[in-house]
Amino acid sequence: MDIFFYAFISLIIPIIKNVMSQVCPLQNGICYGGTFEANKRKKGQYLVGASYKNLSTVRHIQGCFSACVNECLCRAYQMSSTGCELLEEDKNSRTLEPNSDYIYFELNQNIIRSTSYMANPSICKNGCCLSSPCLNGGTCTEQCEHPKTKFVCVCPSYAIGKRCEHFMPKSCLDFYKAPNARIKPTRGVYTIFKNDNSTLFKVYCDFTQPNKAWTLIESFATKHIQEFRPKSFMEDYPLNQETPGNHKKYRLARQDMQMIKATAMSYRATCKFLTRANVTDRDYMEGRLSAWDIIEEASDDPYPEYCRRLTYVNVEGYSCSDCTMALFQKKGTWHAHGEMRHGCDFQPPGYNNTAWQVFGWYQPIRSSFLCTDSEDSTTEYWLGHEMK
């Protein structure tokens, strides 16, 4: 402890009288009256972890008081031998702890309503949102009911905290919104939070323009088809969740798929993702979850129930947009897959009714289809988010 600092503070506090201050951030808005009350200090006590600004050059108690009065976030302040600390919490929200180097002060303020004929008493105006205090895309609303709560932040789903200061992504899309995010993040393994904001898990993300983000929910090589063939997305079959970059044999737990799907809009199937620069030019399928919820919904006979609308599909160079294709999935029986069936729009030349199966069932296996042209070729399924 700085003995000279403490001796100086002990001498000067009894001399300082109660000091009044008034702050009016906006013309015709709310004003705040403040009082420095020297006799209401907490000597030898301080708040841990509540300091948001350290003013090492402010060595006088009244200077610390004035700094706090002029900040919308400040609820209390404390002095030590190293200077002034402004606090975003007070002794009502945190417990004071002993520290002989500190003196703690409450900020005592009251609201003074404007008497100007131009002021609208039904509208709160204190100017506290002008400095954009909410972080990570949070929305600021000024508050005029309590002098210690001058604004509140409404946080987006990927951030928490009084000022939304903690970035907590819950989907691949959130990495477009991250602090210091690239215009387009790079594909790879990322860590996201579950809805409890405490449990973490890894996912593989891909990012496409304009501002689309895809989360890998499953990937398997041709040599593992027998294992995946009867596993629909309606059943839980997690595999290698800690290594989502392993595209030879990977599947996300069903509850994690459901969490991601809750805010997703699309799904897609790709072939040999890791070895191709452009996965949409051949053997690719994309659809909207509103047309077929691949995580929750079976797709089976009879016709036309299995004709599902797709945004785009390409099979061995034949393609169509905004068209229907026969898609199947049945719990305990069929993995999600496509077939060439009468009655649906997509019927490439030379198809043979049900003998041409793609994107997951593969019976028989076709070497002309990229997902199955070798035993190490992979099929990937994704859930997609879009920036609104």
Side-chain angles (χ1 to χ4, degrees):
M1 181 183 72
D2 189 326
I3 297 174
F4 296 103
F5 163 79
Y6 198 75
F8 172 74
I9 291 294
S10 299
L11 287 171
I12 198 170
I13 284 180
I15 299 172
I16 300 173
K17 305 296 183 182
N18 289 357
V19 178
M20 297 291 295
S21 74
Q22 182 169 311
V23 178
C24 300
L26 287 178
Q27 186 178 10
N28 304 321
I30 291 291
C31 295
Y32 295 94
T35 305
F36 172 73
E37 298 176 294
N39 61 338
K40 291 188 177 180
R41 66 191 184 277
K42 298 291 183 181
K43 182 178 175 181
Q45 297 182 67
Y46 79 137
L47 284 187
V48 182
S51 173
Y52 72 92
K53 185 178 287 188
N54 295 327
L55 304 173
S56 59
T57 59
V58 177
R59 314 291 291 187
H60 193 280
I61 298 169
Q62 281 184 275
C64 195
F65 163 71
S66 297
C68 186
V69 163
N70 283 283
E71 297 243 355
C72 292
L73 189 60
C74 192
R75 299 171 68 95
Y77 55 100
Q78 55 197 23
M79 290 287 296
S80 73
S81 58
T82 59
C84 165
E85 295 179 16
L86 304 185
L87 310 176
E88 61 181 332
E89 296 189 52
D90 58 25
K91 62 182 178 63
N92 295 316
S93 57
R94 281 182 183 248
T95 302
L96 285 167
E97 297 187 17
N99 189 320
S100 58
D101 192 37
Y102 275 86
I103 302 175
Y104 168 88
F105 296 86
E106 281 285 304
L107 176 62
N108 296 305
Q109 284 188 314
N110 60 289
I111 293 174
I112 303 171
R113 305 285 175 180
S114 174
T115 58
S116 169
Y117 72 93
M118 296 180 65
N120 186 340
S122 65
I123 298 176
C124 173
K125 288 174 60 179
N126 61 20
C128 287
C129 287
L130 294 177
S131 61
S132 302
C134 304
L135 306 175
N136 290 315
T139 302
C140 181
T141 302
E142 294 174 359
Q143 300 285 297
C144 299
E145 299 302 318
H146 193 282
K148 283 195 175 183
T149 304
K150 298 181 175 71
F151 68 92
V152 294
C153 295
V154 178
C155 302
S157 61
Y158 54 85
I160 63 171
K162 184 176 180 179
R163 293 189 295 142
C164 313
E165 64 270 25
H166 302 296
F167 177 64
M168 307 188 78
K170 294 184 177 67
S171 74
C172 292
L173 183 68
D174 291 340
F175 291 100
Y176 272 120
K177 310 164 188 174
N180 304 315
R182 302 180 182 92
I183 295 175
K184 180 185 174 185
T186 56
R187 62 165 70 173
V189 177
Y190 289 77
T191 300
I192 65 175
F193 285 84
K194 295 191 177 185
N195 288 329
D196 61 7
N197 289 326
S198 61
T199 308
L200 294 162
F201 67 102
K202 295 177 182 178
V203 291
Y204 191 96
C205 300
D206 182 38
F207 303 93
T208 59
Q209 296 295 350
N211 295 341
K212 277 190 174 182
W214 298 94
T215 305
L216 183 69
I217 60 172
E218 179 190 77
S219 182
F220 61 90
T222 305
K223 59 188 174 185
H224 299 304
I225 281 178
Q226 286 298 114
E227 182 177 353
F228 282 81
R229 188 172 274 158
K231 302 297 183 183
S232 75
F233 290 119
M234 295 180 291
E235 48 208 306
D236 192 28
Y237 191 62
L239 286 170
N240 299 318
Q241 287 203 105
E242 289 302 309
T243 55
N246 173 17
H247 287 203
K248 300 297 183 185
K249 193 175 183 180
Y250 166 78
R251 183 154 164 167
L252 202 58
R254 178 168 161 76
Q255 64 176 2
D256 295 333
M257 289 187 194
Q258 290 173 315
M259 187 200 91
I260 293 167
K261 191 217 71 173
T263 53
M265 300 182 71
S266 305
Y267 67 91
R268 72 174 184 177
T270 60
C271 295
K272 300 167 65 171
F273 175 82
L274 291 179
T275 61
R276 298 171 62 206
N278 180 8
V279 294
T280 65
D281 62 350
R282 182 183 169 97
D283 297 337
Y284 177 85
M285 176 176 70
E286 182 176 333
R288 307 293 281 185
L289 288 166
S290 57
W292 183 33
D293 184 343
I294 65 168
I295 306 302
E296 305 293 345
E297 191 177 354
S299 189
D300 197 358
D301 289 318
Y303 169 81
E305 297 298 324
Y306 52 71
C307 289
R308 303 285 181 168
R309 186 158 297 278
L310 293 171
T311 306
Y312 176 77
V313 61
N314 182 302
V315 174
E316 298 186 13
Y318 300 104
S319 64
C320 69
S321 301
D322 190 22
C323 57
T324 61
M325 179 181 179
L327 298 177
F328 293 88
Q329 175 174 235
K330 189 173 183 179
K331 189 173 182 179
T333 306
W334 300 323
H335 189 285
H337 67 280
E339 295 184 6
M340 314 306 148
R341 289 282 188 103
H342 287 295
C344 302
D345 297 335
F346 187 57
Q347 297 180 15
Y351 81 95
N352 182 20
N353 201 19
T354 61
W356 196 349
Q357 297 162 339
V358 291
F359 303 117
W361 180 251
Y362 304 126
Q363 195 171 15
I365 293 173
R366 294 172 63 91
S367 60
S368 54
F369 190 68
L370 290 179
C371 287
T372 54
D373 64 359
S374 76
E375 67 172 12
D376 288 319
S377 297
T378 55
T379 301
E380 301 91 15
Y381 269 85
W382 312 73
L383 292 175
H385 291 77
E386 300 173 19
M387 188 85 80
K388 296 180 180 179

